[in-house]
Amino acid sequence: LKTTCLENEEYIQELHVSDWSENQKQKLAVAHEKAAELLLSVETGTKWNLSQAYDLAKLMRVCGLEMSQRELYKPEDKPQFMDVIGLKKTLQELKQNRNKTRIVSFTGMIDNSIAKIEKVEEELRRSQLDATQLAQVPVTTLKQVEDIMNITNAQTALSSTEEQIKTVLAQIEKTNEIQNVAMSDGEMQV
């Protein structure tokens, strides 16, 4: 019985320390029920009460929790995810980027990013989390991607310069012909 109690206590502590998912919440509830049954059997078998030895304060000390359970869950708190929606909007704008002259396509990366942001948004809608700081993480990267997407490739940038060079070379050739004709007619001397 003592071994079972200790194993259950360790299991409960592991569940409290780890990330919370629905599956873990169910496992934790089952573990608490088992602990209550074990405690009841110990109390009735030995005629002494252990419930005062296992209170919330001890649990917080043993697990190293910094916030109480009551602080972690406040029904009045609403999720803050508008910044994440702003990220999704930015990604959608990048997807519609007007610069079609680029050699590299960013469509796959942007589509994957939008899908991941939508999953994050979905999870945030079901939580009470403030995603303001989370939304700031990719801002610099998105700005750099936008700058990269707006860069004109070298061939396009130089095409107008090449045309100007061809025009100037044609003018030089024409000028040389005129000069040669003028020299042959004696109108000009070198």
Side-chain angles (χ1 to χ4, degrees):
L1 184 63
K2 182 177 179 180
T3 306
T4 309
C5 287
L6 290 174
E7 288 173 357
N8 197 52
E9 181 182 6
E10 289 174 7
Y11 181 64
I12 290 173
Q13 288 174 0
E14 287 175 21
L15 290 174
H16 276 287
V17 173
S18 63
D19 293 333
W20 289 79
S21 68
E22 288 301 317
N23 190 22
Q24 286 176 319
K25 288 178 185 177
Q26 292 171 352
K27 286 180 181 178
L28 184 62
V30 169
H32 276 290
E33 289 174 15
K34 185 176 179 183
E37 291 172 9
L38 289 170
L39 187 60
L40 182 63
S41 67
V42 168
E43 288 174 350
T44 55
T46 59
K47 296 187 180 178
W48 56 286
N49 192 345
L50 290 176
S51 60
Q52 285 127 8
Y54 295 99
D55 62 353
L56 185 60
K58 182 176 180 188
L59 175 67
M60 289 182 64
R61 277 193 313 277
V62 170
C63 295
L65 299 175
E66 295 177 10
M67 296 179 72
S68 72
Q69 291 171 330
R70 289 168 190 82
E71 289 175 311
L72 292 173
Y73 179 73
K74 296 179 185 173
E76 67 274 3
D77 287 350
K78 301 294 179 216
Q80 302 294 321
F81 55 89
M82 292 308 293
D83 291 338
V84 173
I85 292 174
L87 282 176
K88 187 169 75 171
K89 182 180 177 196
T90 301
L91 284 166
Q92 289 167 341
E93 288 171 0
L94 284 176
K95 189 174 180 179
Q96 302 300 324
N97 188 290
R98 69 194 178 290
N99 189 357
K100 301 298 181 193
T101 61
R102 62 183 176 271
I103 296 169
V104 178
S105 174
F106 291 88
T107 307
M109 181 210 54
I110 292 172
D111 287 341
N112 288 339
S113 299
I114 289 172
K116 288 182 182 3
I117 291 288
E118 285 174 347
K119 287 179 184 177
V120 168
E121 179 186 347
E122 181 182 321
E123 289 298 321
L124 287 170
R125 286 184 186 277
R126 292 184 291 190
S127 73
Q128 295 176 313
L129 299 175
D130 182 357
T132 306
Q133 289 180 332
L134 173 69
Q136 296 305 313
V137 173
V139 168
T140 304
T141 305
L142 287 177
K143 179 63 178 143
Q144 290 173 346
V145 168
E146 182 179 13
D147 291 346
I148 291 168
M149 290 174 74
N150 288 329
I151 291 175
T152 306
N153 68 22
Q155 186 177 13
T156 306
L158 296 176
S159 65
S160 65
T161 307
E162 288 177 13
E163 292 297 322
Q164 290 174 348
I165 290 172
K166 287 178 184 176
T167 304
V168 169
L169 287 174
Q171 289 174 347
I172 290 173
E173 193 175 310
K174 186 176 179 182
T175 304
N176 285 340
E177 287 177 21
I178 293 172
Q179 183 181 10
N180 289 338
V181 168
M183 287 177 71
S184 65
D185 290 344
E187 297 175 4
M188 187 175 154
Q189 294 180 351
V190 178

